[in-house]
Amino acid sequence: GAVVSQHPSRVICKSGTSVKIECRSLDFQATTMFWYRQFPKQSLMLMATSNEGSKATYEQGVEKDKFLINHASLTLSTLTVTSAHPEDSSFYICSAGTGGNQPQHFGDGTRLSIL
Amino acid sequence: AQTVTQSQPEMSVQEAETVTLSCTYDTSESDYYLFWYKQPPSRQMILVIRQEAYKQQNATENRFSVNFQKAAKSFSLKISDSQLGDAAMYFCAYRTYNQGGKLIFGQGTELSVKP
């Protein structure tokens, strides 16, 4: 089956650091990838839609200068949290799809902790 | 805009019994997809079952089945012969045909299974 690899699984870093999270589709090409954020005991909130070769589409209220998304190839999207602060601590999860009526496939998520 | 509502924050079921998780949604679209995802403590997102809105027949996957009522905009999940491994957070999700297929999640229902 389709596999999405997300890396790293856990990051702990100091306030002010920029953190990059990678999302790779291992055995299929994904023209569209999605980035979600999840707080403890809460639902997944869509942050942005990442489109290969074009700018990402951000959801209302998500700072595009804070959360930089790059989708340089059909198998890789990256989310960079710039100048991270403690309030950016959360669980970030990506998904990728092949389009049409096929379901999305999720990565295993990244737990980000900013000290 | 589409919304998904899960009105049961927590549910409990005895092992081997049946439990139904509720989900309602709001949309003006006629074509869309509905999903149930399971998220265990590992926080992996696992697809349980999906339903295409144009199909009248309710989807089934082994012990999991749905009751899809399009006119009522209701999409409940029934788990039969509950097992200890079914304990998890369950999310109902709506996916548009357009807008790149992004998922809109409900608030989630935490299911516990008693031995």
Side-chain angles (χ1 to χ4, degrees):
Chain A
V3 177
V4 173
S5 173
Q6 188 172 339
H7 196 74
S9 58
R10 181 79 192 262
V11 180
I12 302 172
C13 58
K14 293 180 179 180
S15 185
T17 307
S18 290
V19 178
K20 180 184 283 188
I21 303 169
E22 292 187 348
C23 181
R24 292 180 186 273
S25 55
L26 297 185
D27 50 2
F28 67 99
Q29 293 184 330
T31 54
T32 305
M33 292 184 174
F34 302 90
W35 288 95
Y36 298 86
R37 182 174 183 176
Q38 186 181 30
F39 290 107
K41 298 289 187 180
Q42 293 189 24
S43 187
L44 282 74
M45 296 299 295
L46 179 67
M47 298 175 66
T49 302
S50 173
N51 303 297
E52 187 268 335
S54 64
K55 290 183 179 179
T57 303
Y58 289 83
E59 295 298 301
Q60 193 173 6
V62 177
E63 300 175 61
K64 59 182 179 182
D65 295 331
K66 163 67 105 175
F67 300 100
L68 300 178
I69 291 172
N70 183 277
H71 194 154
S73 76
L74 285 171
T75 60
L76 174 65
S77 175
T78 60
L79 168 68
T80 301
V81 184
T82 61
S83 187
H85 289 94
E87 59 266 28
D88 298 323
S89 298
S90 191
F91 186 71
Y92 294 87
I93 189 165
C94 70
S95 71
T98 55
N101 64 353
Q102 297 304 307
Q104 293 176 21
H105 304 279
F106 283 85
D108 287 343
T110 297
R111 189 183 305 274
L112 176 62
S113 300
I114 307 298
L115 305 178
Chain B
Q2 297 86 11
T3 59
V4 179
T5 301
Q6 292 177 251
S7 58
Q8 305 156 316
E10 298 176 350
M11 289 285 283
S12 181
V13 63
Q14 205 72 34
E15 195 176 6
E17 296 294 309
T18 296
V19 65
T20 298
L21 307 184
S22 301
C23 174
T24 58
Y25 59 94
D26 190 28
T27 184
S28 58
E29 298 180 334
S30 58
D31 293 322
Y32 47 87
Y33 304 103
L34 295 167
F35 303 86
W36 279 98
Y37 282 90
K38 172 185 177 181
Q39 189 181 44
S42 66
R43 302 189 84 167
Q44 272 185 305
M45 291 296 285
I46 301 166
L47 177 64
V48 175
I49 200 165
R50 69 170 178 170
Q51 175 84 40
E52 288 92 340
Y54 65 85
K55 290 186 177 179
Q56 292 186 342
Q57 188 172 8
N58 289 324
T60 62
E61 285 288 341
N62 300 315
R63 298 183 295 108
F64 299 88
S65 61
V66 298
N67 183 1
F68 173 48
Q69 300 290 328
K70 190 172 184 180
K73 296 178 182 174
S74 171
F75 183 61
S76 61
L77 173 69
K78 185 171 82 171
I79 305 174
S80 304
D81 185 24
S82 297
Q83 300 175 359
L84 295 177
D86 294 334
M89 196 74 153
Y90 286 81
F91 292 102
C92 177
Y94 173 103
R95 196 181 104 185
T96 61
Y97 254 56
N98 301 317
Q99 298 181 30
K102 64 181 181 180
L103 286 168
I104 300 165
F105 288 91
Q107 302 92 326
T109 297
E110 186 163 12
L111 178 66
S112 59
V113 181
K114 297 178 181 177

